[in-house]
Amino acid sequence: MVVGDIATGTDVLVIGGGPGGYVAAIRAGQLGLDVTLVEADAYGGTCLNEGCIPSKALIHVTGLAHEVEHAESMGLHARADIDVGGMVEWKDEIVDQLTSGVEKLCKANGVNLVPGRAEFADANTARVIHGGEGQGSESIDFEHAVIATGSRPIELPGLEFDGERILSSSEILSLESLPESVLVVGGGYIGMELSTMLAKLGTNVTVVEMLDDILPGYDDDITRTVRKRAENLGVDFHFGEAAQGWTEKAAAACVTTETEDGETSEYTAERVLVAVGRQPASDTCNVEAAGLEPNDRGVLETDDATRTAVEHIHAVGDVAGEPMLAHKAYKEGHVAAEVIAGEPTRLDYQAIPAAVFTDPEIGTVGLTVEEAEAEGFDPVVGEMPLRGSGRALTLGDTDGFVRIVADSETEFVLGGQIVAPDASELIAEVGLAVEMGAQLEDIAATIHTHPTLSEAVAEAAANARGSAVHTLNR
Ligand code: FAD
Ligand code: NAD
């Protein structure tokens, strides 16, 4: 303890108030534990302040504007008058509402909120340095700790963030005026979601991706559909080129890229969005003093009870590794709190869904065909193309499909991949099927409301059984 510190004690110390941390804290409070949550910046973490929520708000409103302006074939002739400042203000209001909601929920569940940066002093004590001059610090003894310090954007050497030309996703989501051109480095989740959004706002977007396609890890027919739509919006893709560095040229950034063969190219844009992945923030709370060592990727490794190598210290969310998704952080936060409270809870990763909020959206859960084969299954696949869906036609949005993967012998649903409007919502049905051990017939025989996109999920399940009516059976 440092002289002058105030000393307090708690059953559970949670470090970081993002989706992993605040869920762990609230759940631990519900289970009757004495909980202290320390947050260095803003409640809600990356997700609420500069990630999921702000990006989805802006993606929605730009999608709306684009849809209104491209509905001539439906007999609608309209122009959307985009006020970027107004859009950002609306997004900020949503963020404020949600972050203050998290604070209220924590308090209502008895969580003691401490603003400041927490650092371990040893395996049972942390020091909290309060923000601002003269704010002092305090020392907290704990029985259990949950490290939920999240992640930060990876900085490319030669393209360090400067808040002016070279931006991270956080800064691009808060721009008050529309750049005329943006070079996006990285065609992953952030690159694809935000390049689609910017293109719909009328910005000239170029994407430079080191690999030979967008969204590494997704099936070819998924990326093809999304890439084509982005190209139709005017996004210019360059694959097999890694961004190396930049210079200021004629009031713009001139970025140099290089192929594996050493061929270089230059791209000029008003702003550059670097979205080449995120790294765990395992270096913010002096984990070494608690006896922990992040692995070579900065991840705090955990077991299926979210325990680190030091048994009474847990790690959840992005700092505990891939996939870096808010709902995975939620789940781990729940498990950490329940394990600490002595409940027999464990993590089960077989059904973590993922959604990419491109146009059309992508939703996936469970196994792909290749993954099912690799795990020793003999998979059967059912598909429903959206062009056969009445609802997709009424929405004027027929690019995409629903695919269900099942075990051919038992017909247990193993996974699904959806490319469609609202695929992020539709995938929940397949996730439920995987989680509860449903069979193809359970989905196919469920009466789905007509006309909806969810009917395509039932049709895909029926298609895998050879009994689809609205599409040709395979
Ligand atoms: P974070 O949300 O990063 O929270 C960590 C918190 O810890 C921060 O508030 C930080 O201030 C605090 N902290 C760090 N160190 C200390 C310390 N020493 N003391 C006290 N406090 C500390 N995921 C999805 O599932 N869906 C999406 O649509 C989605 N969209 C995204 C869009 C963007 C642009 C980005 C960047 C991310 C997106 N994500 C999305 C990912 C999602 O935001 C993260 O997976 C999620 O926020 C991880 O939660 P977490 O609690 O682990 O960490
Ligand atoms: P990402 O890992 O999804 O994509 C990074 C891309 O950058 C890859 O395709 C990679 O090949 C490419 N790349 C790396 N170095 C490069 C270079 N020098 N030049 C050109 N390309 C390069 O990372 P991201 O888009 O930054 O997103 C970070 C994480 O945030 C995601 O992995 C995801 O966990 C989370 N996220 C989730 C959502 C969602 O759930 N909808 C949305 C946004 C972000």
Side-chain angles (χ1 to χ4, degrees):
M1 201 176 106
V2 173
V3 179
D5 273 4
I6 301 164
T8 51
T10 187
D11 290 345
V12 187
L13 173 70
V14 181
I15 305 178
Y22 80 73
V23 168
I26 290 175
R27 189 73 192 114
Q30 288 170 349
L31 293 166
L33 295 163
D34 175 69
V35 195
T36 301
L37 169 63
V38 184
E39 170 53 56
D41 189 358
Y43 298 112
T46 305
C47 172
L48 294 195
N49 294 284
E50 46 197 40
C52 325
I53 295 298
S55 62
K56 267 80 251 185
L58 295 180
I59 287 167
H60 173 71
V61 68
T62 51
L64 206 59
H66 183 262
E67 221 176 303
V68 157
E69 290 201 336
H70 293 82
E72 290 88 357
S73 62
M74 299 178 186
L76 178 62
H77 302 268
R79 286 218 53 80
D81 193 2
I82 293 170
D83 160 15
V84 177
M87 271 171 46
V88 172
E89 211 173 289
W90 172 70
K91 176 264 293 180
D92 289 342
E93 278 168 22
I94 297 168
V95 170
D96 286 348
Q97 195 177 328
L98 289 170
T99 52
S100 64
V102 165
E103 195 175 341
K104 281 186 201 136
L105 280 172
C106 285
K107 286 181 180 157
N109 283 284
V111 177
N112 176 31
L113 295 174
V114 177
R117 188 166 53 81
E119 276 181 1
F120 289 102
D122 58 44
N124 283 96
T125 318
R127 202 165 154 250
V128 179
I129 300 104
H130 299 299
E133 213 174 302
Q135 294 294 302
S137 60
E138 68 184 285
S139 179
I140 303 179
D141 293 337
F142 58 85
E143 295 286 317
H144 306 268
V146 179
I147 304 172
T149 48
S151 63
R152 66 172 77 89
I154 292 175
E155 207 153 30
L156 269 185
L159 279 150
E160 289 82 7
F161 302 119
D162 64 6
E164 288 293 324
R165 292 271 181 245
I166 314 297
L167 309 179
S168 70
S169 52
S170 313
E171 292 139 346
I172 209 111
L173 289 169
S174 290
L175 284 181
E176 296 277 325
S177 64
L178 204 54
E180 188 256 313
S181 56
V182 173
L183 177 75
V184 178
V185 179
Y189 275 76
I190 294 178
M192 285 312 299
E193 288 186 357
L194 298 190
S195 59
T196 305
M197 179 194 92
L198 288 164
K200 285 183 178 177
L201 284 169
T203 294
N204 290 316
V205 183
T206 304
V207 176
V208 173
E209 165 58 53
M210 182 170 86
L211 302 177
D212 58 7
D213 200 358
I214 58 167
L215 295 168
Y218 283 91
D219 288 346
D220 286 354
D221 50 1
I222 296 179
T223 55
R224 200 180 319 120
T225 310
V226 169
R227 195 182 59 241
K228 264 196 191 161
R229 187 75 75 87
E231 280 166 350
N232 289 342
L233 289 168
V235 178
D236 185 18
F237 288 100
H238 296 268
F239 293 109
E241 297 181 26
Q244 303 285 349
W246 74 286
T247 49
E248 178 82 17
K249 235 186 218 173
C254 177
V255 173
T256 312
T257 68
E258 193 173 331
T259 63
E260 262 190 9
D261 303 335
E263 227 174 89
T264 59
S265 305
E266 285 185 349
Y267 301 92
T268 303
E270 193 184 321
R271 310 268 193 171
V272 180
L273 164 64
V274 178
V276 294
R278 293 178 66 85
Q279 67 191 54
S282 51
D283 56 355
T284 67
C285 62
N286 198 22
V287 292
E288 291 75 10
L292 289 168
E293 202 182 326
N295 72 13
D296 54 4
R297 285 169 291 118
V299 172
L300 289 175
E301 287 175 356
T302 53
D303 64 11
D304 65 356
T306 72
R307 287 195 180 100
T308 63
V310 177
E311 208 177 304
H312 65 284
I313 302 183
H314 295 242
V316 301
D318 288 4
V319 77
E322 299 279 348
M324 291 193 185
L325 300 174
H327 43 277
K328 177 252 188 189
Y330 287 154
K331 182 71 182 173
E332 290 178 345
H334 263 276
V335 170
E338 290 177 3
V339 168
I340 290 169
E343 301 212 349
T345 317
R346 290 294 180 269
L347 286 170
D348 174 5
Y349 278 139
Q350 65 172 328
I352 300 185
V356 194
F357 294 75
T358 39
D359 183 1
E361 291 182 356
I362 301 170
T364 60
V365 70
L367 303 181
T368 62
V369 181
E370 290 72 26
E371 286 165 348
E373 281 167 353
E375 289 204 11
F377 292 102
D378 174 21
V380 60
V381 176
E383 276 186 9
M384 170 71 179
L386 281 205
R387 62 176 181 277
S389 153
R391 184 60 180 143
L393 281 157
T394 66
L395 294 171
D397 210 346
T398 54
D399 291 341
F401 56 84
V402 175
R403 177 185 300 138
I404 305 274
V405 181
D407 175 41
S408 61
E409 198 187 323
T410 61
E411 294 203 355
F412 282 123
V413 177
L414 301 173
Q417 298 85 43
I418 302 180
V419 188
D422 290 332
S424 56
E425 304 283 349
L426 295 171
I427 200 65
E429 180 176 5
V430 188
L432 180 66
V434 175
E435 184 64 42
M436 67 183 287
Q439 292 169 299
L440 288 169
E441 191 185 2
D442 295 313
I443 298 182
T446 300
I447 299 177
H448 288 68
T449 322
H450 179 74
T452 60
L453 292 170
S454 70
E455 288 172 298
V457 179
E459 278 290 304
N463 181 255
R465 312 186 79 223
S467 60
V469 168
H470 296 91
T471 188
L472 290 178
N473 287 301
R474 297 152 74 88

